Amino acid sequence: MSTTTALVLAGLGLAIIAGLAAYAYTLRQEVRRRQAFREEEERRARDNCLENLELVASALLQEQVDVTEGAWRCKVLLEILDPRLLEREAFRPFGEVHERTRHLHTHAARKALTPKERFKEDRERLTVEEELREAVLAAADAVLEFRRNWPGSLH
């Protein structure tokens, strides 16, 4: 092989390597951009969840929402933030209300019930609400405290 051919092949090899390096750099920048976008989306979703949690807890304390509905909503929002939060003693009443009322019909299924069946379910729901009202309101207070101390209150 002549020196000229070797130099041409070496130059071609360097050009290919430089092109691949530039492509790798571009791909790495795209990965970073997507990761930053995903992290921003997660932060916004978490902030939205926290804001909604605070609103529902406040509505519970001001009796603007039924105990059952407020407890269900708080439970779902806490699960979204971190499912382990429901294991905390302060937040357990939300899970208990959910556990004891999840078999009750809602929306269209509730409308399909006879008046007697609806009355029976309402009585059952009101019994649970009466029993757990104070615990749920205390849990709502705990949610507001949790929110005030965020993010330190997470773990």
Side-chain angles (χ1 to χ4, degrees):
M1 174 170 4
S2 70
T3 306
T4 307
T5 306
L7 286 175
V8 168
L9 289 175
L12 184 62
L14 285 174
I16 290 172
I17 290 172
L20 289 173
Y23 182 63
Y25 177 77
T26 303
L27 289 177
R28 181 66 184 141
Q29 291 301 101
E30 180 65 16
V31 166
R32 285 184 181 154
R33 186 190 66 75
R34 288 182 184 189
Q35 184 176 1
F37 179 78
R38 190 188 78 240
E39 288 170 0
E40 176 62 19
E41 283 292 308
E42 288 173 0
R43 185 198 59 75
R44 280 192 292 162
R46 186 178 52 250
D47 289 349
N48 188 31
C49 191
L50 285 166
E51 184 179 327
N52 287 330
L53 185 61
E54 184 176 7
L55 289 171
V56 172
S58 294
L60 261 170
L61 291 170
Q62 296 169 16
E63 298 182 12
Q64 296 174 342
V65 66
D66 292 337
V67 170
T68 303
E69 182 179 349
W72 274 55
R73 290 176 185 241
C74 285
K75 176 195 175 294
V76 169
L77 291 166
L78 287 168
E79 280 179 332
I80 291 169
L81 286 171
D82 186 349
R84 294 173 295 177
L85 288 172
L86 288 170
E87 296 170 8
R88 291 186 184 184
E89 190 64 36
F91 300 143
R92 283 198 179 144
F94 299 138
E96 188 173 346
V97 168
H98 177 265
E99 192 62 36
R100 291 178 59 186
T101 60
R102 70 181 184 182
H103 65 281
L104 300 176
H105 296 85
T106 60
H107 309 298
R110 177 175 166 75
K111 289 178 184 174
L113 295 175
T114 66
K116 186 176 181 180
E117 291 169 327
R118 253 194 317 268
F119 179 76
K120 181 181 177 226
E121 285 196 357
D122 286 344
R123 201 172 54 223
E124 188 176 346
R125 180 181 52 79
L126 290 171
T127 301
V128 171
E129 285 184 4
E130 248 179 66
E131 268 183 55
L132 298 174
R133 174 180 213 74
E134 294 306 315
V136 168
L137 293 178
D141 266 333
V143 163
L144 294 179
E145 183 67 25
F146 172 81
R147 176 67 168 114
R148 277 191 292 276
N149 296 324
W150 179 267
S153 59
L154 186 58
H155 299 288

